[in-house]
């Protein structure tokens, strides 16, 4: 039986809810996973994945985006980012960007007060210049020093100066908040308990996640945790001692456990530490620590974790303009949690 959460492993009971929707504006194809974690499964050598952004609106109508996916004209990224696309031989499809999708549903860009970035990589930063100058850019600790000025003001910059020029840039300083959620430094973004930014460093400088309160029923709330690129596959998060593998397993999963001397209580995959892939992760020790912390959230049935490139949840959730708020009533936590195990099956079985 799974260990239940101890009394202190709880999230703030009081708070308002926010409406949150997932927007998938783009897909990345032919993405190699080996630079992120070691894995010998045939299905996980090169993958096609979504790039989720999220729109979050609080009870007073304040509206933010969490991540911006890709830009349509990706060849206009900084030369450094374009070189990454060519180096990894990625395929990029983005016919409608986040702004196009919002406006197709009568959500005006002018109403978005901020774009909060999990991190600065090109599949998350999109094209902020498509939003009015009143839309702020919110980034994690250390991002301004590490990444600005952008291209062309700095030849090798990863981001563009146009990504932040002429708009307010707010760098989150978690030391100014005394809030901590399940061990992660946190900040109550709207001040109403509906959206917490979480410090989840490792994959990139200043990487952040977001925790959105989706329902509040008396003393019980449910949440969606937007995990950015803290993991590139749920097998880096699960199983864990807090969320052990169910006892009914396919023969492929059972044989993977046996081959790798695993007992179903530790994640299938670990953060890649091979020096040849060092450029893909800012700090692998921090990235692994972040995953351990996220396992505490994953232990709670009241939390649905969605990473930016979660292909298995893509087949389950309803996307914008539908909201994710009813995820618990719809059973998406239970139906999505172990769906990634299909990646262990031989290629011909699906
Ligand atoms: Zn990404």
């Amino acid at each position: 039986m799974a260990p239940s959460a101890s009394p202190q492993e709880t999230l703030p009971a009081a708070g308002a809810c926010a409406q949150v929707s997932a927007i998938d504006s783009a897909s990345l194809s032919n993405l190699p996973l080996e630079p992120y974690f070691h894995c010998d499964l045939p299905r996980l050598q090169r993958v096609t994945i979504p790039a989720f952004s999220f729109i979050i609106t609080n009870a007073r109508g304040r509206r933010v985006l969490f991540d911006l996916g890709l830009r349509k004209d990706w060849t206009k990224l900084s030369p450094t980012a374009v070189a990454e696309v060519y180096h990894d031989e990625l395929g990029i499809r983005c016919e409608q960007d986040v702004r196009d999708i919002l406006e197709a549903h009568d959500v005006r860009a002018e109403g978005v007060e901020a774009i909060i970035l999990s991190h600065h990589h090109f599949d998350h930063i999109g094209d902020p210049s498509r939003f009015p100058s009143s839309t702020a850019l919110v980034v994690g600790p250390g991002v301004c020093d590490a990444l600005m000025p952008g291209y062309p003001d700095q030849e090798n910059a990863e981001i563009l100066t146009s990504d932040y020029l002429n708009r307010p840039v707010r760098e989150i300083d978690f030391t100014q908040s005394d809030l901590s959620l399940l061990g992660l430094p946190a900040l109550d973004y709207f001040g109403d308990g509906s959206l917490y930014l979480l410090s989840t460093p490792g994959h990139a400088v200043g990487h952040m996640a977001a925790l959105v309160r989706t329902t509040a029923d008396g003393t019980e709330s449910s949440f969606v945790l937007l995990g950015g690129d803290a993991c590139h596959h749920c097998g880096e998060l699960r199983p864990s001692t807090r969320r052990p593998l169910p006892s009914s397993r396919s023969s492929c999963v059972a044989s993977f456990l046996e081959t790798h001397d695993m007992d179903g209580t530790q994640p299938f995959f670990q953060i890649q530490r091979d020096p040849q892939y060092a450029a893909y992760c800012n700090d692998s020790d921090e990235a692994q620590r972040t995953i351990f912390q996220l396992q505490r959230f994953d232990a709670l049935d009241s939390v649905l974790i969605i990473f930016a490139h979660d292909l298995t949840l893509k087949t389950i959730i309803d996307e914008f303009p539908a909201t994710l708020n009813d995820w618990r009533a719809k059973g998406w936590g239970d139906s999505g949690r172990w769906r990634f195990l299909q990646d262990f099956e031989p290629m011909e079985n699906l």
Side-chain angles (χ1 to χ4, degrees):
M1 198 174 129
S4 56
S6 59
Q8 62 270 31
E9 295 283 279
T10 56
L11 293 166
C17 296
Q19 298 291 307
V20 55
S21 301
I23 303 171
D24 180 16
S25 60
S27 80
L28 281 170
S29 57
N30 204 38
L31 180 85
L33 288 178
E34 187 68 19
Y36 303 100
F37 58 87
H38 174 65
C39 168
D40 44 19
L41 294 173
R43 284 181 185 280
L44 295 183
Q45 297 314 300
R46 292 263 179 177
V47 295
T48 297
I49 52 173
F52 285 122
S53 304
F54 299 87
I55 184 148
I56 303 160
T57 310
N58 86 344
R60 293 176 180 271
R62 290 179 63 186
R63 180 168 281 160
V64 297
L65 284 161
F66 184 77
D67 279 345
L68 213 47
L70 281 127
R71 59 188 293 148
K72 287 185 284 190
D73 49 355
W74 65 268
T75 56
K76 294 201 174 74
L77 289 162
S78 71
T80 299
V82 170
E84 287 171 26
V85 175
Y86 285 121
H87 178 270
D88 283 348
E89 300 176 349
L90 303 180
I92 290 177
R93 181 194 57 75
C94 179
E95 281 145 21
Q96 284 193 302
D97 66 9
V98 167
R99 177 174 177 153
D100 293 333
I101 294 171
L102 290 176
E103 293 193 334
H105 293 91
D106 297 322
V107 175
R108 294 170 59 248
E110 288 73 17
V112 176
E113 72 172 45
I115 298 161
I116 303 170
L117 294 179
S118 66
H119 64 299
H120 66 279
H121 290 163
F122 68 82
D123 53 324
H124 298 258
I125 198 169
D127 183 1
S129 74
R130 299 258 295 135
F131 286 77
S133 57
S134 56
T135 303
L137 197 65
V138 177
V139 297
V143 167
C144 294
D145 262 3
L147 297 161
M148 296 174 188
Y151 182 86
D153 299 304
Q154 188 178 195
E155 192 63 29
N156 296 327
E158 291 184 64
I159 66 171
L160 299 169
T161 297
S162 62
D163 291 335
Y164 59 85
L165 194 66
N166 296 327
R167 71 183 62 251
V169 176
R170 180 183 174 199
E171 183 174 296
I172 299 296
D173 179 1
F174 287 100
T175 66
Q176 298 296 306
S177 163
D178 52 12
L179 191 62
S180 164
L181 299 182
L182 305 191
L184 289 178
L187 182 125
D188 184 350
Y189 182 85
F190 289 127
D192 62 2
S194 66
L195 168 62
Y196 300 97
L197 301 186
L198 305 173
S199 178
T200 50
H203 172 66
V205 61
H207 187 282
M208 297 192 293
L211 186 73
V212 184
R213 190 184 305 269
T214 42
T215 59
D217 184 8
T219 55
E220 248 242 299
S221 289
S222 68
F223 300 86
V224 168
L225 193 155
L226 315 176
D229 278 2
C231 292
H232 288 76
H233 189 274
C234 288
E236 294 174 89
L237 181 73
R238 302 184 193 112
S240 67
T241 51
R242 292 179 161 90
R243 189 62 84 176
L245 192 65
S247 49
S248 72
R249 302 155 187 182
S250 75
S251 58
C252 294
V253 172
S255 111
F256 185 95
L257 290 173
E258 196 178 322
T259 309
H260 295 82
D261 196 20
M262 292 175 165
D263 65 2
T265 63
Q266 67 268 72
F268 291 111
F269 313 124
Q270 308 288 319
I271 289 285
Q272 180 62 267
R273 290 169 189 276
D274 187 328
Q276 70 171 306
Y277 299 120
Y280 290 81
C281 185
N282 184 57
D283 185 325
S284 48
D285 290 336
E286 268 192 335
Q288 196 66 69
R289 272 199 298 277
T290 284
I291 290 174
F292 289 144
Q293 297 297 335
L294 290 179
Q295 287 172 346
R296 295 169 68 176
F297 290 80
D298 192 48
L300 302 175
D301 289 335
S302 58
V303 177
L304 175 72
I305 300 181
I306 306 182
F307 297 107
H309 305 300
D310 193 325
L311 185 60
T312 52
L313 277 177
K314 166 102 185 142
T315 62
I316 292 173
I317 62 172
D318 296 330
E319 295 178 26
F320 179 79
T323 74
L324 300 171
N325 287 69
D326 289 339
W327 69 267
R328 204 166 179 187
K330 291 176 175 168
W332 293 344
D334 291 334
S335 54
R337 187 171 296 118
W338 298 108
R339 190 168 285 206
F340 73 86
L341 296 176
Q342 66 192 20
D343 292 332
F344 290 68
E345 301 301 314
M347 298 292 267
E348 64 272 18
N349 275 18
L350 285 177

